[in-house]
Amino acid sequence: MGINQKERPIGVFDSGIGGLTVLKEIIRLLPCESTIYLGDTARVPYGIRSPETVMRYSFENTRFLSSKDIKLLVIACNTASSISLDAIKESVSIPVIGVIEPGAKAAVRATMNGKIGVIGTETTIRSSAYTKAIKSIDAGVEVFGQACPMFVPLVEEGWIEGDISTMIAGRYLEGLKDKGIDTIVLGCTHYPLLKRVIAEVMGKGVTLIDSAVETSLEIKAILSTLGVNSEKKSPRPKEFFVTDSPERFLKVGENFLGKKIEHIKKIEVGGYG
Ligand code: DGL
């Protein structure tokens, strides 16, 4: 592949702000790659929508990012990954990475007792995408899913610790504790921000799997295998697109990303469907 191929950006989409936890890890690991992030803030949340709707949104987001000449597509949203990864892979000629498989692989590596919990949005848990991915690696592992719909608004409000978060986490996670799991997959973009609370509720001896970290490692591996890593030696531009006005994204997003967001534009993706 030519030099231009190497310097093309990595495209990342999410239903909104949450995928910035994935972008953060990509930037940490691959600072010299340029990235284009699309947050579909006008249509968030995806986690309560039907598979058909999530599929349509995913295709529209993919078409928008494809128009930006990206070299690799990351579906940072767990809900979109669980519904549309296979269909999107078939529809484009560049590599596509979702967040489910990397998280599933890491969970199977981590479990000692073969009991894994998966937490995510309602649509992600209902799709059983994590269960299928985990079982395809090791059919003997038991997987227990739990939807935690209130975690997304909690994080968006910035309530990532304190009594209320601990109480809500305690309620959602008590069933998983009873199952004796030793590993829990944070199967939603927002949940890494609740790591501390989740770890406290689950107690010692339960390993937390952060799909964002695992996905960035997988991206690095794929770029190397294909020989398309950027050859630049200094940080490259990070562009942001949102489908609603950027104010809230900027305010909350910097928390998720851990750095300032510049170069942001509002766009319509519906026309790309
Ligand atoms: N990005 C979504 C996910 O990872 C969470 C927010 C939403 O429901 O859209 O599942």
Side-chain angles (χ1 to χ4, degrees), residues 121-150:
T121 66
E122 280 169 359
T123 303
T124 298
I125 297 303
R126 212 173 304 128
S127 76
S128 301
Y130 271 106
T131 307
K132 286 176 206 152
I134 290 171
K135 292 224 176 250
S136 76
I137 304 166
D138 184 344
V141 171
E142 279 184 274
V143 187
F144 305 96
Q146 173 66 52
C148 305
M150 278 177 74

Side-chain angles (χ1 to χ4, degrees), residues 117-121 125 144-149 171-176 191:
V118 176
I119 53 177
T121 66
I125 297 303
F144 305 96
Q146 173 66 52
C148 305
R171 215 20 127 71
Y172 280 139
L173 302 177
E174 63 191 5
L176 291 180
Y191 299 0

Side-chain angles (χ1 to χ4, degrees), residues 14-15 44-47 77-79 121 152 188-190:
D14 178 52
S15 54
V44 70
Y46 285 10
C77 176
N78 287 258
T79 307
T121 66
V152 167
C188 172
T189 47
H190 289 57

Side-chain angles (χ1 to χ4, degrees), residues 29-48:
L29 201 64
L30 300 161
C32 301
E33 296 290 343
S34 57
T35 58
I36 298 183
Y37 181 93
L38 168 61
D40 192 8
T41 47
R43 305 189 291 193
V44 70
Y46 285 10
I48 53 165

